[in-house]
Amino acid sequence: MGYTPMMQQYLKIKADYKDSFLFFRLGDFYEMFFEDAKKAAEELEITLTSRDGGKDDRIPMCGVPHHSAENYIKALIEKGYKVAICEQVEDPKTAKGVVKREVVQLITPGTIMEGNMLEDKENNYLAALYSINNQTFGFAYTDMSTGETSAMKMVNGWPSVLSEIYNRPIKEIVIEDKLDESFKNDLIDKMQLTLSYVNDQTQLPDQMIPLIEGVNDELLQHACKILFQYLYHTQKRSIDHLKKAQVIELEEYMTLDMYSKRNLEITHSMMRNEKYGSLLWVIDRTVTAMGARKLKKWLERPLLSRQHINRRLDMVTGFYDQFMERESIRESLRSIYDLERLSGRVSFGNVNARDLLQLKNSLSKIPSIKQLLNEFNHQVIKDLADKIDPLQDLKMLLEKSIAEDPPISITEGNILKDGYNEKLDQYRHVSRNGKDWIAALERQEKENTNIKSLKIGYNKVFGYYIEVTRANLHLVPNDRYERKQTLTNAERYITNELKEKEALILEADEKSVDLEYQLFLLIRDKVKAYIPALQKLADLISEIDVLQSFATVSEENNYIRPTFSEAHQVKLEESRHPVIEKVMKSESFVPNDILLDEDKFMLLITGPNMSGKSTYMRQLALTIVMAQVGCFVPAKTAELAVFDQIFTRIGAADDLVSGQSTFMVEMLEANHAIHHATSKSLILLDEIGRGTSTYDGMALAQAIMEYIHNNIGAKTLFSTHYHELTSLEENLNGLRNIHVRAEEINGEVVFLHQIHQGAADESYGIHVAQLAGLPQVLIDRANLILTQLETKSGESVSPEQKVVLTSQQEQMTLFVEESSDSSKQVKKEEDNIIAMINKWDILEMTPMDAMNKLYDLQKKVKGMKGRK
Ligand code: ADP
Ligand code: MG
C-alpha cells in the first residue's frame, strides 16, 4: 500500500527542506510528521500523536495551532533550527483533489525579521564563507532586518576567520559543502552557528546583481553571491531594502584576534559572557537601538587612520564641551524609532499603521535635532547638521494620512485620517450618517411604541435589529415589525426602513475598509521609495548617538582626549582600568603611569598574585582600543601611538574560563602573536609559560621575549612570577623591569597596586607570608629552604644539559663546557647539530614535527655522550 496523496505531497515538499522543520498547513494547524514530529514534540514539549497515512504503520505527527505558531517558531529558531512554512495556496473549497501547498517562507536563525525574535540592540547576521585553498577566505555577512551587508577578505587562514566571527552576532553561516570538515565542526561547536549550504552552480538573480557592484575581488564576489543566492531562495518575498555590499578593507582597522577580544572583554565579560563587566558596558550611553548597534560595530573595529580617529575625537570634543545642548540632543534622540529595521519591514511589507505613526513621530523630531546640532560651536558638529535630510515631505504624507490611534490590524479600517481621500470620506459619511439616523430612529421608535427599554443593536450574524424585552411584547406594532430572532428575555425585530438603511451602511463600511486597505498599501509603497533616504538618516542618527555617548561617558567618568604623537610611544599619566574602576564599589582605583617608547618598548612586570599585574596590562590595551574608536580615555594625560594589532596571551593557569587549559593552546596562541605582530603592535603576555614545569616555562618565556625584542620590536608587556627573568634587563636594551609589591600598613598586608620601577623583591612570597603574620620560625625555615633550592637548582642541571638561551650571542654554544677528551669527531657532530637546529623553521612546524625533531636530536646527543 502506498502513501495517501496528501502524504505524498508532504514527502515531496519535505525532500526540498531536509534540514528544516516543515510546518505543513492542515486547516487551522501546522502539522509535522515523521522525524520532524518526534523532534519537535521533544523540543517544544508538545504531544506526539500519529495518523493514518495509507501504509500499515501509523505516521508520527504533532501540530501547533496556526494562530499561535509564532512562539513555537521562535523557540525552534532560538535553538538554531530552521522552519519552512508550507501553506495551502488554493482555496480548499474549490480544489480538485489534494489542496495545492507550497513553502512560502523559510525562517532561519540568520534571516529572522519578526520583531519579537530580534534583540533591539543587537544585529542579527547571516554570513557566508568561501575559500578555494583553505587559507584565504571570502567572507560576507548581512543583517536582513537592517539591510546592511559587509564583505571582507581574510588572508591569514582559519584563525582569522574564527576571530572575525567570534562575539559577532552571527547566527547562521552559508557555506559550500566542500569546506574542510574540521572547519565545519569549528563553526558548529566553537561558534555555535547554524550551517546552511548552497551549491556553487547557481546564478545570482538579475535584480540582485547591483548589490555586488562595488565588490571587485573575485573571492569576495563569490562569498556575496552565496549569501544573496541563499537569501533569494529562502525568503521568497521582497528584499528591496538590502543595501549594496560594503567591502571592509581589514588593513584599515586594528586587528583584534579572538583571544584578545575575549581576554580584553571588549563586548562580553569572560566570566559570564554577557555585556555586564565589558568595555562596551562601560561606554554604552547610547539612547537608540540603532546607536547601540553602531557602537558595538565601532568597538569591534578600531580605526588605524590618525585622521579618521581625530575626526571622531573632534566631534566627541564638540559634544563634550556643551553639556546642555548634548542633553537636549539625548532627549530628542530618545523618541527616534528604529528607522533601520523599519525600512526592512517596509520592504518586506509587514509594517502596520502604528509603525508608520511612529515613523511620523520620529521624523517630526528631526528638524529640532538639526537645529540643536547647529547650536554647537564646533564646526564638525554643524557639518553633521548639514548632512541631515529631515524628509519632511514623507512626514507630511504620513501626517495627513495615518490616523492618530490606529489599530494593529490593517484590514479592519480606522487606520487613515478623514480628509485624506475623498471617496473614503464619502463612505464614511454614509456610514456615520446612517449611524446617526439609527440613533434617531431608536428615539423615535421609543416614543411611538412607548417602550422605554427599546433599543437598536447590531451583530454580525443578524445585522441591525430592534430589541424589545419580553415584558413589553404586547406594545410591539406587529404590522411594521418583523420578527428576526428570539432570545430568552427578549425578541428582536427588523423594519423595512431599517433594512434599507442597514444595506447602505454595511455597504459603505465594507467599501471603506477595503478602500482603506488599498490606500494603505499605496502609502506603504510611497514610503518604500524613501528607504534609501531613511537608511541614510538612520546612519547619521546612530552616528550622532554614538558620539554623544562617548562624550557623555567621557565627562561622567573623567576621561581625557588622547593625542597621537609621531613617535611610536605611549605616555599615560595616571592611567586607569575603565571597567575595574567602575565595578569597584567602596575603595577607589589606584592610577598608574604607563611609559613605552622606542628605546624601552618592553616592560617586564613582577609582583605577587593579586597585586595588579594583569589589570595594568589590560588597561593599556583597553585605553588604546578606546582611543582608536574615537573615545576619550581614563587617564590624566594620554599621548598615544596608533597600534595596528593587539595580541593578548594568558598563561594557562590563569585561563580558567575557556577550559582550554593546555599548555599547547598557550603556545599556539603565542605562536600566532609572534607570527603576525609588527613593531606597531601591542603584545600582552600574561604569565606565559605558566602551564608547564618551571624550567620549561622560564626558558620559553625568556626565548619568546628575546625573539620579540630582537625580531619584532612590538610594544610588549610581560608579567611573570619567574623572578629570574628580571635579569634579562641587562641583556635586552629595550626591556625595563617594573613591579608591584605588597606592603605592610599597621601590621596588615595590603596591595597598594602601585607600579614601581625595577624588579620586585626576590622573596616577596615569603615577605607576604611574614606580613600575614606566620610564625617567625616558619619564615626563617622558608628562607633557608629557598636558599637551598636556589643553589641546588644551579647544580641539578649538569653542564652538558645546560642550554644557554641568550640568543643575543651571535654564535650559539650548545654545550657549555667541552669535555677535555672530546674527539674531533664529536666536535664535528656538534657542529652538525647546531647547523641543523639553525635551519629549523620552528614557526612552521607542527607540534608533532617538533617532537620528532627533538627525539632525533636527543638520540644523536645520547650517541655522542656515549662516545665521550
Ligand atoms: P595579578 O595579575 O597581579 O594577580 P590582578 O591584576 O588580577 O592581579 O588584580 C587583582 C585585583 O586587584 C583586581 O581584581 C582588582 O580588584 C585589584 N586591583 C588591581 N589593580 C588595581 C588598581 N590599580 N587599583 C585598585 N585595585 C586594583
Ligand atoms: Mg594576573
Side-chain angles (χ1 to χ4, degrees):
M1 230 184 358
Y3 284 115
T4 58
M6 195 191 74
M7 280 329 290
Q8 289 175 20
Q9 180 189 42
Y10 171 86
L11 289 167
K12 194 158 168 260
I13 297 174
K14 175 68 194 176
D16 288 336
Y17 294 91
K18 287 206 184 78
D19 63 349
S20 312
F21 282 101
L22 185 66
F23 273 42
F24 192 74
R25 185 70 180 267
L26 255 181
D28 283 339
F29 276 77
Y30 288 116
E31 301 289 1
M32 281 157 275
F33 302 110
F34 299 104
E35 285 308 306
D36 270 13
K38 289 187 199 159
K39 207 152 73 173
E42 203 169 286
E43 294 284 8
L44 297 172
E45 295 176 10
I46 52 180
T47 320
L48 184 68
T49 57
S50 66
R51 87 178 259 144
D52 183 16
K55 290 207 172 184
D56 291 345
D57 289 342
R58 290 178 68 82
I59 296 168
M61 172 176 100
C62 71
V64 300
H66 91 104
H67 61 83
S68 61
E70 193 168 327
N71 287 327
Y72 293 107
I73 296 171
K74 183 180 176 190
L76 290 174
I77 298 293
E78 274 170 4
K79 288 168 188 255
Y81 295 113
K82 301 176 213 177
V83 177
I85 308 291
C86 178
E87 294 287 358
Q88 301 175 170
V89 293
E90 64 179 347
D91 192 339
K93 288 192 201 99
T94 55
K96 297 191 196 86
V98 182
V99 186
K100 226 170 127 189
R101 289 185 176 84
E102 270 172 23
V103 169
V104 295
Q105 196 194 348
L106 180 64
I107 305 173
T108 75
T111 60
I112 46 174
M113 285 288 293
E114 286 66 20
N116 71 348
M117 296 191 203
L118 290 167
E119 285 279 339
D120 281 351
K121 295 186 166 192
E122 281 268 16
N123 279 100
N124 193 79
Y125 291 126
L126 169 76
L129 187 65
Y130 178 72
S131 174
I132 8 187
N133 57 7
N134 285 339
Q135 174 63 26
T136 307
F137 294 86
F139 184 64
Y141 56 85
T142 190
D143 184 334
M144 283 287 285
S145 67
T146 63
E148 50 161 340
T149 302
S150 309
M152 68 212 62
K153 190 169 170 170
M154 286 173 281
V155 292
N156 289 331
W158 187 242
S160 59
V161 178
L162 289 184
S163 295
E164 200 46 55
I165 294 174
Y166 182 76
N167 263 359
R168 205 155 265 143
I170 294 176
K171 302 286 162 57
E172 180 180 358
I173 190 160
V174 189
I175 53 174
E176 292 187 317
D177 199 32
K178 61 181 187 225
L179 190 77
D180 196 288
E181 283 302 317
S182 71
F183 294 171
K184 286 185 196 166
N185 290 338
D186 275 355
L187 293 173
I188 297 172
D189 301 339
K190 286 199 185 141
M191 299 291 138
Q192 314 210 313
L193 300 183
T194 299
L195 298 195
S196 293
Y197 297 93
V198 289
N199 58 37
D200 60 359
Q201 315 308 346
T202 36
Q203 194 60 35
L204 198 59
D206 284 350
Q207 70 266 36
M208 292 187 119
I209 289 172
L211 294 177
I212 56 165
E213 251 164 25
V215 185
N216 298 320
D217 183 275
E218 240 179 80
L219 206 63
L220 280 190
Q221 268 190 11
H222 205 108
C224 289
K225 278 187 188 162
I226 293 179
L227 186 69
F228 291 136
Q229 268 164 17
Y230 178 77
L231 282 181
Y232 182 75
H233 290 295
T234 57
Q235 292 309 299
K236 304 173 189 292
R237 48 185 179 173
S238 159
I239 36 182
D240 296 345
H241 67 295
L242 286 189
K243 296 189 243 182
K244 281 194 173 132
Q246 294 291 318
V247 177
I248 296 184
E249 302 291 351
L250 288 177
E251 325 64 278
E252 287 173 17
Y253 300 94
M254 179 201 277
T255 307
L256 273 168
D257 63 1
M258 184 170 75
Y259 312 111
S260 297
K261 282 194 208 170
R262 189 184 70 208
N263 294 335
L264 294 175
E265 309 186 297
I266 305 279
T267 56
H268 295 76
S269 70
M270 271 201 274
M271 284 289 276
R272 292 190 277 180
N273 196 27
E274 62 183 15
K275 185 177 167 189
Y276 175 83
S278 68
L279 179 60
L280 176 65
W281 167 71
V282 174
I283 65 173
D284 184 2
R285 296 298 307 275
T286 57
V287 295
T288 67
M290 302 180 277
R293 294 195 297 265
K294 175 157 280 180
L295 171 59
K296 203 166 163 230
K297 273 182 258 179
W298 280 15
L299 209 47
E300 282 168 349
R301 291 200 206 288
L303 302 173
L304 288 185
S305 144
R306 196 182 301 189
Q307 193 195 343
H308 291 158
I309 296 169
N310 274 321
R311 191 177 155 266
R312 280 191 193 165
L313 285 170
D314 286 346
M315 292 191 283
V316 174
T317 307
F319 283 115
Y320 184 97
D321 286 347
Q322 280 168 272
F323 170 78
M324 292 303 285
E325 287 79 357
R326 186 176 77 232
E327 278 304 306
S328 309
I329 291 267
R330 284 171 63 84
E331 211 36 58
S332 302
L333 287 176
R334 274 181 221 284
S335 43
I336 305 280
Y337 192 54
D338 194 334
L339 300 176
E340 267 184 320
R341 285 200 166 145
L342 180 94
S343 302
R345 295 220 307 281
V346 170
S347 153
F348 260 37
N350 57 358
V351 281
N352 59 19
R354 287 194 186 169
D355 290 322
L356 293 190
L357 188 71
Q358 275 178 305
L359 174 59
K360 183 199 82 180
N361 291 339
S362 305
L363 289 176
S364 59
K365 293 284 172 197
I366 304 294
S368 69
I369 289 179
K370 202 170 152 114
Q371 194 186 341
L372 277 168
L373 291 172
N374 266 316
E375 279 168 28
F376 280 85
N377 300 328
H378 292 253
Q379 188 56 40
V380 278
I381 298 193
K382 289 190 166 63
D383 292 346
L384 282 174
D386 288 345
K387 285 201 227 158
I388 293 182
D389 176 354
L391 299 177
Q392 290 306 289
D393 38 353
L394 175 57
K395 194 209 118 190
M396 299 276 279
L397 166 71
L398 300 172
E399 174 90 57
K400 62 180 204 259
S401 57
I402 306 295
E404 281 309 324
D405 189 16
I408 294 176
S409 161
I410 54 171
T411 53
E412 285 162 24
N414 295 324
I415 50 180
L416 299 182
K417 272 187 181 161
D418 284 346
Y420 173 64
N421 178 281
E422 214 175 317
K423 195 89 203 163
L424 180 63
D425 285 352
Q426 281 172 11
Y427 291 141
R428 281 182 173 170
H429 182 72
V430 173
S431 164
R432 280 175 205 154
N433 263 352
K435 281 167 191 160
D436 286 349
W437 182 89
I438 281 169
L441 181 73
E442 189 182 77
R443 277 196 303 276
Q444 198 189 323
E445 287 296 324
K446 268 186 193 168
E447 247 167 57
N448 290 348
T449 58
N450 229 340
I451 306 173
K452 295 232 162 52
S453 61
L454 178 146
K455 60 182 188 207
I456 299 186
Y458 174 81
N459 73 35
K460 275 192 176 158
V461 182
F462 292 99
Y464 285 96
Y465 54 80
I466 301 171
E467 187 174 296
V468 179
T469 53
R470 217 153 266 290
N472 291 312
L473 287 183
H474 62 284
L475 294 172
V476 167
N478 284 317
D479 52 336
R480 286 195 297 123
Y481 280 26
E482 178 188 327
R483 189 158 41 218
K484 215 178 175 182
Q485 191 189 2
T486 303
L487 308 178
T488 15
N489 301 326
E491 290 285 346
R492 287 174 174 176
Y493 301 93
I494 187 93
T495 66
N496 283 336
E497 219 182 353
L498 188 55
K499 234 188 252 173
E500 276 164 33
K501 216 57 184 188
E502 179 188 77
L504 279 178
I505 295 171
L506 292 186
E507 189 192 345
D509 277 350
E510 191 177 317
K511 284 191 173 155
S512 107
V513 166
D514 271 359
L515 181 59
E516 274 200 65
Y517 180 67
Q518 297 307 328
L519 289 170
F520 184 78
L521 295 189
L522 287 177
I523 295 170
R524 205 162 66 184
D525 274 347
K526 283 188 191 157
V527 178
K528 207 166 167 178
Y530 284 92
I531 287 178
L534 280 172
Q535 287 174 331
K536 212 170 128 199
L537 183 62
D539 196 44
L540 272 167
I541 295 293
S542 52
E543 179 170 343
I544 292 165
D545 196 12
V546 178
L547 294 168
Q548 72 74 19
S549 172
F550 284 169
T552 303
V553 73
S554 295
E555 181 165 54
E556 281 175 3
N557 295 347
N558 231 336
Y559 297 161
I560 189 87
R561 178 175 177 158
T563 58
F564 293 88
S565 62
E566 281 305 323
H568 205 264
Q569 62 179 27
V570 170
K571 245 191 206 158
L572 290 169
E573 270 184 300
E574 300 189 11
S575 149
R576 289 142 23 221
H577 190 299
V579 182
I580 294 186
E581 79 167 347
K582 272 277 161 191
V583 292
M584 280 180 40
K585 302 234 159 59
S586 46
E587 70 275 55
S588 52
F589 192 86
V590 180
N592 278 301
D593 297 349
I594 305 183
L595 286 178
L596 287 164
D597 53 31
E598 317 249 355
D599 293 335
K600 295 284 179 195
F601 56 89
M602 297 179 93
L603 296 178
L604 180 68
I605 310 165
T606 40
N609 272 343
M610 293 302 285
S611 58
K613 301 184 295 297
S614 302
T615 306
Y616 183 75
M617 296 169 74
R618 283 181 179 76
Q619 82 193 39
L620 171 60
L622 290 174
T623 299
I624 289 167
V625 169
M626 288 168 84
Q628 289 182 223
V629 297
C631 186
F632 290 7
V633 298
K636 197 169 135 220
T637 65
E639 209 181 305
L640 293 171
V642 174
F643 284 81
D644 65 352
Q645 302 167 86
I646 296 180
F647 298 93
T648 318
R649 297 296 169 262
I650 308 262
D654 256 12
D655 195 1
L656 301 170
V657 188
S658 71
Q660 303 176 312
S661 52
T662 66
F663 179 63
M664 186 61 191
V665 172
E666 187 184 327
M667 285 300 109
L668 284 172
E669 294 180 11
N671 179 40
H672 181 78
I674 284 169
H675 246 307
H676 298 289
T678 72
S679 63
K680 300 268 189 287
S681 308
L682 175 71
I683 304 179
L684 305 183
L685 297 172
D686 197 352
E687 310 256 5
I688 206 98
R690 219 186 190 187
T692 182
S693 73
T694 311
Y695 282 109
D696 265 15
M698 210 160 70
L700 275 163
Q702 179 174 345
I704 289 171
M705 278 211 286
E706 285 170 357
Y707 188 90
I708 295 172
H709 184 272
N710 299 338
N711 301 319
I712 303 174
K715 301 273 185 294
T716 306
L717 266 54
F718 198 108
S719 74
T720 186
H721 63 284
Y722 297 129
H723 184 262
E724 292 84 341
L725 291 178
T726 53
S727 63
L728 272 176
E729 196 181 32
E730 292 153 28
N731 289 328
L732 303 180
N733 291 330
L735 182 132
R736 181 169 45 199
N737 283 321
I738 57 173
H739 71 278
V740 228
R741 63 173 171 242
E743 288 166 64
E744 182 195 332
I745 293 179
N746 301 332
E748 278 190 49
V749 195
V750 282
F751 292 125
L752 294 182
H753 307 298
Q754 282 164 351
I755 297 282
H756 300 277
Q757 298 302 312
D761 193 346
E762 186 161 1
S763 52
Y764 56 64
I766 295 175
H767 182 58
V768 171
Q770 187 169 26
L771 291 181
L774 288 175
Q776 194 54 45
V777 270
L778 191 155
I779 301 293
D780 291 344
R781 174 73 182 140
N783 271 321
L784 187 69
I785 298 171
L786 177 70
T787 2
Q788 279 173 357
L789 282 175
E790 274 166 0
T791 31
K792 214 168 155 198
S793 70
E795 289 163 359
S796 69
V797 186
S798 69
E800 287 93 325
Q801 287 169 319
K802 196 166 182 181
V803 177
V804 176
L805 290 147
T806 317
S807 65
Q808 283 263 297
Q809 292 157 261
E810 282 295 78
Q811 172 64 54
M812 196 171 93
T813 325
L814 191 56
F815 306 105
V816 172
E817 270 182 331
E818 291 225 342
S819 169
S820 53
D821 56 0
S822 63
S823 65
K824 272 192 183 145
Q825 177 61 22
V826 172
K827 175 77 181 112
K828 206 174 136 209
E829 279 184 32
E830 226 183 272
D831 287 343
N832 284 343
I833 291 173
I834 289 170
M836 189 174 83
I837 295 177
N838 258 330
K839 264 197 278 169
W840 288 352
D841 189 355
I842 307 270
L843 297 179
E844 288 300 327
M845 277 185 203
T846 67
M848 207 55 214
D849 287 343
M851 294 271 281
N852 285 332
K853 289 225 152 70
L854 269 179
Y855 180 72
D856 288 346
L857 189 64
Q858 194 187 40
K859 231 168 46 187
K860 287 209 171 88
V861 173
K862 274 189 180 149
M864 273 162 57
K865 266 178 79 181
R867 264 175 282 141
K868 271 190 198 177

